[in-house]
Amino acid sequence: MFADLSIHFTKASMSKPRKSIHGEWSSRFTFILAATGSAIGLGNIWKFPYIAGENGGGAFVFVFLICVLVLGLPLIIAEVAIGRYGRQNPINSISNIVEENKSHPMWAVTGWLCLLSGFIIFSFYSVISGWVFSYGLQMGLGTFQNISPDDSIKIFNQFLSQPWTLLFWHSLFSLLTLLVVAKGVQTGIEKAVEILMPVLLILILTLLAYALSTGKFMEGLRFMFDFDFSKLTGESILIAMGQAFFTLSLASGAMMIYGSYLPRGISIPKACFMIAAADTAIAILAGLAIFPIVFAHGLEPASGPGLIFQTLPVAFGNMFGGQVFGALFFMLLLLAAFTSAISMIEATVAWLVENHDMTRNKASLLGGLGAWLLGLGTLLSFNLWSGKTLFGKNFFENIDYLVTNIMMPLGGILIALFASWVMSKHSILNELGIKEGPGFWVWRVSAGLIAPVLVLLVFFHSIEFF
């Protein structure tokens, strides 16, 4: 059965470097922009600042940075290296390497885990991003002016109870994403991120400047950066490891497919370091922009959708200029969601083009339609299907749990082991652009031994037995 997963080589094709049929990034800068856009998502904006504040502030940030260097960076390097060597979608790239190295065909499961993770994430990411789209419009129209906390909760619950409204926003977000993906690497994805990422940074800096005027900037700064080692527990360290893993879009196929478009001559370790640094910096800036606004209105910071859709509308609705800056905030969220969504569906589109001889337009339509249909389950989980559960969870909670707690950690472990021990030493050295020496062995030990153990700890920490 697994023989069907592999792409067969000829001697001629193995003797010369492969090229992606989808094209390449025009420069290292565009790759970094695209990959950073993939890594920066909704979780960066609300989750990282909150968990930092709740788990020791600066002490947690310090541990998180160590986890990024020891866990996140080696894994993103591994994933991009596999992608550039294979030059195809995650399934084909890994299958190619498996056949070339005469490794066990079961390793092909790694590619399937990555591609399916991205596909499933896109399905529910589109639904939640649709909420952001709607709230940005409502904020701009003044819906939340002088709103109370109770009214904010009622508006949000009423919004979720309307499946046709959610369907419109889910469909609109999916369509816009697929229009970009359908145009290809350079004329679609690259052009989009070259515009969207600078705008995203401008929005964050604008909101940061506004936060400085609230009088609560130092309180927000202390919330995130005071070194409170009493709050730093074993649980906090596991949370830091999990955040370091998930924040970089690892094991979702995104970095591998983006790596397949990376031109030769560009240093993978240097580019990946810049991606990790930019992703972390954006998350910190977002927290510094958000929490002074929350504290200025005596509101409690809450993790998850509650902060975005219930707490912050109250803050923006009761401050001078809140209508404008609230709309800018939701625009920021939307851009972060958009750049991530593009990367999540790209691997599926590439697989359809490469394996089923489809045009990019047709592949985008078919892949997007499949994800859109799967997203209907998430959409209905908050209204018509809210009472339908399996293992005590609704549809959305089950697929989110499956991807986040099982598929991605397992995929991450397999990627680390695959790049470190299955790919030939010559191949991985060539992709990393280094010679065998201390630098290579530091990476190989980090990616091949330390990272799998750490991801396994995250896996057991997050797993719930039904």
Side-chain angles (χ1 to χ4, degrees):
M1 142 173 132
F2 287 100
D4 295 334
L5 301 177
S6 298
I7 303 298
H8 295 282
F9 287 91
T10 64
K11 291 182 179 180
S13 67
M14 291 175 63
S15 63
K16 57 184 179 181
R18 305 180 189 92
K19 291 185 178 180
S20 171
I21 65 172
H22 309 284
E24 294 183 341
W25 305 114
S26 61
S27 67
R28 181 179 73 165
F29 179 67
T30 53
F31 166 68
I32 292 171
L33 277 183
T36 303
S38 173
I40 297 168
L42 296 177
N44 288 72
I45 307 300
W46 59 260
K47 189 175 182 180
F48 174 76
Y50 174 77
I51 61 175
E54 289 295 292
N55 289 277
F60 178 86
V61 173
F62 177 72
V63 172
F64 169 76
L65 292 176
I66 292 175
C67 291
V68 167
L69 290 174
V70 176
L71 172 60
L73 188 57
L75 283 181
I76 191 174
I77 290 172
E79 192 163 340
V80 172
I82 292 171
R84 189 166 72 176
Y85 185 79
R87 291 294 185 186
Q88 295 189 59
N89 69 80
I91 296 172
N92 290 359
S93 288
I94 290 179
S95 295
N96 287 346
I97 299 169
V98 165
E99 184 162 343
E100 185 175 317
N101 289 275
K102 295 180 173 56
S103 304
H104 197 288
M106 279 294 292
W107 280 106
V109 171
T110 308
W112 282 97
L113 277 173
C114 292
L115 187 141
L116 289 174
S117 292
F119 179 81
I120 295 171
I121 291 170
F122 177 80
S123 76
F124 61 74
Y125 212 77
S126 176
V127 175
I128 298 171
S129 299
W131 303 356
V132 176
F133 215 145
S134 174
Y135 260 60
L137 181 62
Q138 291 185 65
M139 184 66 70
L141 293 174
T143 302
F144 301 105
Q145 287 292 90
N146 302 314
I147 196 174
S148 69
D150 288 341
D151 287 338
S152 180
I153 294 172
K154 288 178 183 177
I155 290 174
F156 184 53
N157 289 337
Q158 184 179 19
F159 175 69
L160 294 185
S161 69
Q162 300 172 341
W164 288 107
T165 301
L166 300 183
L167 179 63
F168 170 78
W169 293 109
H170 167 46
S171 303
L172 180 60
F173 184 86
S174 294
L175 178 62
L176 292 175
T177 304
L178 295 168
L179 286 175
V180 171
V181 173
K183 287 182 176 294
V185 177
Q186 289 194 355
T187 59
I189 301 173
E190 184 171 303
K191 293 296 183 186
V193 298
E194 284 177 344
I195 296 170
L196 297 176
M197 290 303 292
V199 173
L200 186 148
L201 181 59
I202 290 170
L203 288 175
I204 286 185
L205 294 177
T206 301
L207 288 168
L208 182 62
Y210 185 70
L212 285 166
S213 70
T214 62
K216 294 291 183 177
F217 183 80
M218 293 306 299
E219 188 172 341
L221 192 67
R222 285 192 295 271
F223 179 75
M224 284 188 62
F225 290 108
D226 268 2
F227 277 78
D228 188 350
F229 286 97
S230 66
K231 292 182 179 179
L232 192 62
T233 63
E235 176 91 358
S236 302
I237 294 171
L238 287 170
I239 291 172
M241 288 193 297
Q243 183 67 13
F245 177 80
F246 292 112
T247 191
L248 293 172
S249 291
L250 297 171
S252 64
M255 292 302 169
M256 202 178 297
I257 194 66
Y258 276 8
S260 72
Y261 308 145
L262 184 64
R264 296 205 171 274
I266 293 176
S267 169
I268 288 177
K270 289 179 182 178
C272 289
F273 179 83
M274 293 178 71
I275 293 163
D279 177 68
T280 303
I282 292 293
I284 291 173
L285 287 174
L288 294 177
I290 292 169
F291 288 113
I293 295 171
V294 173
F295 291 135
H297 293 271
L299 300 171
E300 285 295 324
S303 107
L307 175 63
I308 298 174
F309 299 107
Q310 295 176 18
T311 303
L312 284 173
V314 177
F316 285 119
N318 289 276
M319 65 171 60
F320 178 76
Q323 184 174 341
V324 173
F325 287 98
L328 291 178
F329 169 75
F330 280 99
M331 186 185 297
L332 164 66
L333 282 180
L334 186 62
L335 295 183
F338 194 45
T339 53
S340 293
I342 290 170
S343 67
M344 294 300 169
I345 197 64
E346 170 64 16
T348 297
V349 172
W351 179 76
L352 289 171
V353 171
E354 293 164 9
N355 291 60
H356 296 279
D357 196 27
M358 291 185 184
T359 64
R360 195 165 180 92
N361 284 340
K362 186 177 180 180
S364 299
L365 177 62
L366 185 61
L369 180 61
W372 179 85
L373 287 171
L374 183 60
L376 297 181
T378 294
L379 186 154
L380 295 172
S381 297
F382 298 95
N383 37 74
L384 299 181
W385 289 3
S386 60
K388 300 181 184 298
T389 60
L390 180 66
F391 305 118
K393 294 178 172 63
N394 63 30
F395 180 88
F396 167 62
E397 291 167 341
N398 272 302
I399 64 168
D400 179 37
Y401 181 85
L402 174 66
V403 173
T404 305
N405 295 45
I406 299 175
M407 292 175 65
M408 290 177 69
L410 289 179
I413 292 170
L414 291 175
I415 287 169
L417 296 174
F418 186 84
S420 304
W421 310 113
V422 178
M423 282 185 72
S424 69
K425 188 187 297 183
H426 170 76
S427 298
I428 195 66
L429 284 169
N430 187 50
E431 289 306 321
L432 297 184
I434 58 177
K435 296 181 180 180
E436 185 175 0
F440 170 71
W441 284 103
V442 167
W443 171 81
R444 199 174 201 184
V445 169
S446 297
L449 295 175
I450 299 174
V453 171
L454 295 181
V455 176
L456 199 62
L457 289 174
V458 172
F459 172 75
F460 284 120
H461 172 249
S462 61
I463 199 81
E464 297 173 13
F465 292 98
F466 296 122

